[in-house]
Amino acid sequence: MDYSTFFTNRSTTEITADIIGRPLTYTAGSQTMGGYIVEAEAYLGKEDRAAHSYGGHRSLANEGLYRSGGTIYLYAQRQYFFFNVATQAGNEPQGILIRAIEPVWGIEQMLVNRHGKGGVLLTNGPAKMMQAFGIHDLSWNLHSLQASPFTIELDSSHQRPARQIVRSPRIGVNQSEREWADKPLRFYVAGNPYVSRMKKRNWRTDHGWQ
DNA sequence: TCGTGGATGTTCT
DNA sequence: GAACATCCACGAC
């Protein structure tokens, strides 16, 4: 399967659930870094109060959402960067925010990029993950995944099965519009320590994998 | 270990 | 000039 097929043809909610447990990697020079996706959120386009494309809002900054499925949408907030992938056909501005990975590959390099912050602090949040990869600009915004140093493994034989995938409201969305703020559009591996805001008492020794 | 508050820069009104 | 799809240090337990 190719990226444009994977990121279209199904609802964004379904795609988000299906991306949990798949390897995400980023290669810089000869160094590959990454791990298993343990947390992601769906943003459902013009109707979604929490989406950057709410109400059809379109600008240079959020152009990526309007591109076809499989296009990288990078977004900067303050000094932090977020990694999103557009879903659906062009002009249907939906997407997925990858929020956290369980690190597996290139951990040494990610530790350096994170200035020594190890353990769960290495990648348990969207901006931490990007910092671990060493990304400090929007260079890869609007590129297709296909033609980028980012890889999401689509072969399901490499997808790590979770014991349970939990749905919850999205993190950090404005509560003034309850209807959309409360929708369970965040997906994560139950008990995985690298999920953002996961309480230590809820960690599982198997990290939530089967 | 957990919850809170301040720092931070760009975009859009 | 407000509004943020956050992070981390710090203080209370």
mmCIF file of all heavy atoms in Angstrom, chain A residues 28-52:
data_model
loop_
_atom_site.group_PDB
_atom_site.id
_atom_site.type_symbol
_atom_site.label_atom_id
_atom_site.label_comp_id
_atom_site.label_asym_id
_atom_site.label_seq_id
_atom_site.Cartn_x
_atom_site.Cartn_y
_atom_site.Cartn_z
ATOM 1 N N ALA A 28 18.250 11.513 9.318
ATOM 2 C CA ALA A 28 19.069 12.694 9.049
ATOM 3 C C ALA A 28 20.477 12.200 8.751
ATOM 4 O O ALA A 28 21.131 11.627 9.624
ATOM 5 C CB ALA A 28 19.070 13.643 10.236
ATOM 6 N N GLY A 29 20.941 12.385 7.513
ATOM 7 C CA GLY A 29 22.232 11.832 7.120
ATOM 8 C C GLY A 29 22.173 10.321 7.203
ATOM 9 O O GLY A 29 21.279 9.703 6.643
ATOM 10 N N SER A 30 23.093 9.720 7.946
ATOM 11 C CA SER A 30 23.104 8.259 8.054
ATOM 12 C C SER A 30 22.387 7.799 9.328
ATOM 13 O O SER A 30 22.309 6.615 9.602
ATOM 14 C CB SER A 30 24.552 7.762 8.088
ATOM 15 O OG SER A 30 25.226 8.337 9.189
ATOM 16 N N GLN A 31 21.852 8.761 10.085
ATOM 17 C CA GLN A 31 21.252 8.436 11.382
ATOM 18 C C GLN A 31 19.728 8.308 11.288
ATOM 19 O O GLN A 31 19.038 9.268 10.937
ATOM 20 C CB GLN A 31 21.616 9.538 12.389
ATOM 21 C CG GLN A 31 21.067 9.350 13.776
ATOM 22 C CD GLN A 31 21.655 8.139 14.490
ATOM 23 O OE1 GLN A 31 20.982 7.127 14.646
ATOM 24 N NE2 GLN A 31 22.908 8.240 14.902
ATOM 25 N N THR A 32 19.210 7.132 11.584
ATOM 26 C CA THR A 32 17.760 6.941 11.633
ATOM 27 C C THR A 32 17.284 6.899 13.083
ATOM 28 O O THR A 32 17.880 6.223 13.905
ATOM 29 C CB THR A 32 17.359 5.639 10.916
ATOM 30 O OG1 THR A 32 17.627 5.788 9.522
ATOM 31 C CG2 THR A 32 15.873 5.343 11.092
ATOM 32 N N MET A 33 16.232 7.665 13.336
ATOM 33 C CA MET A 33 15.670 7.736 14.697
ATOM 34 C C MET A 33 14.186 7.404 14.621
ATOM 35 O O MET A 33 13.562 7.588 13.587
ATOM 36 C CB MET A 33 15.836 9.156 15.255
ATOM 37 C CG MET A 33 17.273 9.579 15.434
ATOM 38 S SD MET A 33 17.448 11.379 15.533
ATOM 39 C CE MET A 33 17.486 11.826 13.808
ATOM 40 N N GLY A 34 13.617 6.970 15.743
ATOM 41 C CA GLY A 34 12.169 6.755 15.743
ATOM 42 C C GLY A 34 11.710 5.704 16.717
ATOM 43 O O GLY A 34 12.464 5.283 17.605
ATOM 44 N N GLY A 35 10.470 5.281 16.538
ATOM 45 C CA GLY A 35 9.887 4.300 17.438
ATOM 46 C C GLY A 35 8.447 4.020 17.053
ATOM 47 O O GLY A 35 7.990 4.425 15.979
ATOM 48 N N TYR A 36 7.740 3.345 17.947
ATOM 49 C CA TYR A 36 6.342 3.004 17.683
ATOM 50 C C TYR A 36 5.417 4.155 18.089
ATOM 51 O O TYR A 36 5.567 4.717 19.181
ATOM 52 C CB TYR A 36 5.943 1.750 18.470
ATOM 53 C CG TYR A 36 6.643 0.511 17.985
ATOM 54 C CD1 TYR A 36 7.729 -0.019 18.692
ATOM 55 C CD2 TYR A 36 6.229 -0.118 16.810
ATOM 56 C CE1 TYR A 36 8.384 -1.159 18.232
ATOM 57 C CE2 TYR A 36 6.881 -1.254 16.350
ATOM 58 C CZ TYR A 36 7.961 -1.766 17.060
ATOM 59 O OH TYR A 36 8.608 -2.884 16.598
ATOM 60 N N ILE A 37 4.477 4.471 17.220
ATOM 61 C CA ILE A 37 3.505 5.516 17.538
ATOM 62 C C ILE A 37 2.592 5.004 18.651
ATOM 63 O O ILE A 37 1.981 3.938 18.526
ATOM 64 C CB ILE A 37 2.674 5.884 16.291
ATOM 65 C CG1 ILE A 37 3.587 6.486 15.212
ATOM 66 C CG2 ILE A 37 1.541 6.855 16.654
ATOM 67 C CD1 ILE A 37 2.932 6.631 13.843
ATOM 68 N N VAL A 38 2.518 5.756 19.747
ATOM 69 C CA VAL A 38 1.691 5.323 20.881
ATOM 70 C C VAL A 38 0.517 6.273 21.150
ATOM 71 O O VAL A 38 -0.364 5.967 21.955
ATOM 72 C CB VAL A 38 2.521 5.152 22.174
ATOM 73 C CG1 VAL A 38 3.546 4.038 22.003
ATOM 74 C CG2 VAL A 38 3.195 6.459 22.576
ATOM 75 N N GLU A 39 0.512 7.442 20.482
ATOM 76 C CA GLU A 39 -0.547 8.431 20.734
ATOM 77 C C GLU A 39 -0.733 9.308 19.500
ATOM 78 O O GLU A 39 0.244 9.793 18.926
ATOM 79 C CB GLU A 39 -0.159 9.301 21.943
ATOM 80 C CG GLU A 39 -1.194 10.351 22.296
ATOM 81 C CD GLU A 39 -0.725 11.231 23.454
ATOM 82 O OE1 GLU A 39 0.413 11.074 23.918
ATOM 83 O OE2 GLU A 39 -1.512 12.102 23.868
ATOM 84 N N ALA A 40 -1.994 9.512 19.090
ATOM 85 C CA ALA A 40 -2.288 10.365 17.935
ATOM 86 C C ALA A 40 -3.689 10.948 18.082
ATOM 87 O O ALA A 40 -4.533 10.392 18.798
ATOM 88 C CB ALA A 40 -2.186 9.549 16.645
ATOM 89 N N GLU A 41 -3.923 12.072 17.400
ATOM 90 C CA GLU A 41 -5.232 12.726 17.456
ATOM 91 C C GLU A 41 -5.753 12.999 16.049
ATOM 92 O O GLU A 41 -4.986 13.296 15.140
ATOM 93 C CB GLU A 41 -5.142 14.053 18.215
ATOM 94 C CG GLU A 41 -4.883 13.887 19.693
ATOM 95 C CD GLU A 41 -4.704 15.211 20.431
ATOM 96 O OE1 GLU A 41 -4.596 16.257 19.776
ATOM 97 O OE2 GLU A 41 -4.668 15.182 21.664
ATOM 98 N N ALA A 42 -7.072 12.938 15.900
ATOM 99 C CA ALA A 42 -7.721 13.231 14.623
ATOM 100 C C ALA A 42 -8.270 14.659 14.645
ATOM 101 O O ALA A 42 -8.833 15.098 15.653
ATOM 102 C CB ALA A 42 -8.862 12.244 14.383
ATOM 103 N N TYR A 43 -8.104 15.369 13.548
ATOM 104 C CA TYR A 43 -8.690 16.712 13.380
ATOM 105 C C TYR A 43 -9.544 16.685 12.124
ATOM 106 O O TYR A 43 -9.065 16.350 11.043
ATOM 107 C CB TYR A 43 -7.576 17.774 13.323
ATOM 108 C CG TYR A 43 -6.997 18.004 14.702
ATOM 109 C CD1 TYR A 43 -5.972 17.197 15.172
ATOM 110 C CD2 TYR A 43 -7.529 18.952 15.548
ATOM 111 C CE1 TYR A 43 -5.475 17.355 16.468
ATOM 112 C CE2 TYR A 43 -7.050 19.131 16.841
ATOM 113 C CZ TYR A 43 -6.023 18.328 17.290
ATOM 114 O OH TYR A 43 -5.550 18.485 18.566
ATOM 115 N N LEU A 44 -10.841 16.994 12.321
ATOM 116 C CA LEU A 44 -11.824 16.624 11.302
ATOM 117 C C LEU A 44 -12.277 17.743 10.369
ATOM 118 O O LEU A 44 -13.394 17.705 9.842
ATOM 119 C CB LEU A 44 -13.027 15.968 11.986
ATOM 120 C CG LEU A 44 -12.659 14.710 12.814
ATOM 121 C CD1 LEU A 44 -13.911 14.023 13.331
ATOM 122 C CD2 LEU A 44 -11.827 13.729 11.995
ATOM 123 N N GLY A 45 -11.454 18.753 10.164
ATOM 124 C CA GLY A 45 -11.731 19.693 9.082
ATOM 125 C C GLY A 45 -12.608 20.866 9.453
ATOM 126 O O GLY A 45 -12.652 21.314 10.583
ATOM 127 N N LYS A 46 -13.365 21.360 8.459
ATOM 128 C CA LYS A 46 -14.074 22.638 8.567
ATOM 129 C C LYS A 46 -15.064 22.700 9.721
ATOM 130 O O LYS A 46 -15.334 23.755 10.279
ATOM 131 C CB LYS A 46 -14.804 22.931 7.252
ATOM 132 C CG LYS A 46 -13.855 23.032 6.069
ATOM 133 C CD LYS A 46 -14.592 23.178 4.735
ATOM 134 C CE LYS A 46 -13.594 23.167 3.580
ATOM 135 N NZ LYS A 46 -14.250 23.162 2.262
ATOM 136 N N GLU A 47 -15.628 21.552 10.096
ATOM 137 C CA GLU A 47 -16.634 21.541 11.158
ATOM 138 C C GLU A 47 -16.020 21.498 12.553
ATOM 139 O O GLU A 47 -16.710 21.767 13.538
ATOM 140 C CB GLU A 47 -17.503 20.290 11.006
ATOM 141 C CG GLU A 47 -17.878 19.970 9.579
ATOM 142 C CD GLU A 47 -19.374 20.000 9.412
ATOM 143 O OE1 GLU A 47 -20.035 19.203 10.087
ATOM 144 O OE2 GLU A 47 -19.857 20.834 8.629
ATOM 145 N N ASP A 48 -14.746 21.121 12.619
ATOM 146 C CA ASP A 48 -14.088 20.830 13.900
ATOM 147 C C ASP A 48 -13.534 22.106 14.525
ATOM 148 O O ASP A 48 -12.566 22.685 14.029
ATOM 149 C CB ASP A 48 -12.969 19.815 13.625
ATOM 150 C CG ASP A 48 -12.244 19.365 14.893
ATOM 151 O OD1 ASP A 48 -12.478 19.961 15.963
ATOM 152 O OD2 ASP A 48 -11.453 18.411 14.785
ATOM 153 N N ARG A 49 -14.151 22.530 15.629
ATOM 154 C CA ARG A 49 -13.734 23.772 16.289
ATOM 155 C C ARG A 49 -12.268 23.788 16.680
ATOM 156 O O ARG A 49 -11.671 24.838 16.822
ATOM 157 C CB ARG A 49 -14.557 23.989 17.582
ATOM 158 C CG ARG A 49 -15.983 24.412 17.376
ATOM 159 C CD ARG A 49 -16.103 25.713 16.614
ATOM 160 N NE ARG A 49 -15.652 26.878 17.332
ATOM 161 C CZ ARG A 49 -16.418 27.918 17.640
ATOM 162 N NH1 ARG A 49 -17.687 27.885 17.326
ATOM 163 N NH2 ARG A 49 -15.912 28.958 18.245
ATOM 164 N N ALA A 50 -11.715 22.598 16.921
ATOM 165 C CA ALA A 50 -10.329 22.527 17.392
ATOM 166 C C ALA A 50 -9.317 22.437 16.239
ATOM 167 O O ALA A 50 -8.113 22.490 16.466
ATOM 168 C CB ALA A 50 -10.151 21.331 18.314
ATOM 169 N N ALA A 51 -9.808 22.297 15.012
ATOM 170 C CA ALA A 51 -8.896 22.144 13.872
ATOM 171 C C ALA A 51 -8.448 23.505 13.349
ATOM 172 O O ALA A 51 -9.194 24.486 13.427
ATOM 173 C CB ALA A 51 -9.585 21.364 12.750
ATOM 174 N N HIS A 52 -7.256 23.549 12.819
ATOM 175 C CA HIS A 52 -6.756 24.806 12.240
ATOM 176 C C HIS A 52 -7.558 25.200 11.005
ATOM 177 O O HIS A 52 -7.501 26.342 10.572
ATOM 178 C CB HIS A 52 -5.271 24.672 11.880
ATOM 179 C CG HIS A 52 -4.385 24.534 13.086
ATOM 180 N ND1 HIS A 52 -3.153 23.935 13.048
ATOM 181 C CD2 HIS A 52 -4.584 24.923 14.371
ATOM 182 C CE1 HIS A 52 -2.614 23.975 14.270
ATOM 183 N NE2 HIS A 52 -3.461 24.551 15.077
#
